[in-house]
Amino acid sequence: MSKYPLERLLDLQQQKESIRQLELARAERKRQEHESSLSALQETLIQELDTPLHPEFVECRARFTMASHRHICSKREHLQVQTEACHQARALLLTASMEKKKFEVHKEAHEEEAKVREQRGEQAALDEVGGAAVYRRQVGASR
């Protein structure tokens, strides 16, 4: 059977897909870290607000609450950016997977064509052997 001429390109596409999978995994892990950090920050703020407070610390709590709110808003923006990065990484992985699939389908078609050519060659050889046997019988019978 003949070797697939685009094997190196198929290997390259498989490597590209693997790289994209790793990139998606990294982006997703980073997104989850941002998400858990945001949840922890929100939980800390809720606990602080639920804690009884002496009246002379009201102003400090207000400043803390405002700072926490700004920090939470910043974390939400970072989470949104990271979520978008995950979407982009997923789209790149999908593209790489589709490209690899094209090469795999092409390889399968190439292998099928090679198999058909090989079978035709074998059939032609068998036909030639069979024709030679018939010819020998005819020649032997006419003597």
Side-chain angles (χ1 to χ4, degrees), residues 58-132:
V58 171
E59 189 177 319
C60 290
R61 179 178 271 178
R63 284 195 305 265
F64 172 79
T65 303
M66 291 302 294
S68 294
H69 180 68
R70 283 192 300 272
H71 197 197
I72 287 171
C73 288
S74 174
K75 287 280 186 186
R76 282 186 181 144
E77 289 173 10
H78 286 1
L79 178 60
Q80 185 62 35
V81 167
Q82 196 55 46
T83 301
E84 183 58 34
C86 285
H87 291 309
Q88 289 174 353
R90 195 170 285 111
L92 290 172
L93 174 59
L94 180 61
T95 301
S97 295
M98 289 172 33
E99 287 297 317
K100 183 189 81 163
K101 185 66 177 172
K102 288 178 190 177
F103 279 97
E104 289 174 342
V105 168
H106 185 261
K107 180 180 181 178
E108 289 172 9
H110 177 268
E111 289 173 347
E112 188 62 34
E113 288 173 15
K115 186 177 175 182
V116 167
R117 282 192 303 271
E118 188 177 307
Q119 288 173 345
R120 285 183 185 153
E122 289 173 2
Q123 188 61 46
L126 290 174
D127 289 348
E128 190 175 316
V129 169

Side-chain angles (χ1 to χ4, degrees), residues 22 45 91 106:
L22 289 173
L45 179 61
H106 185 261

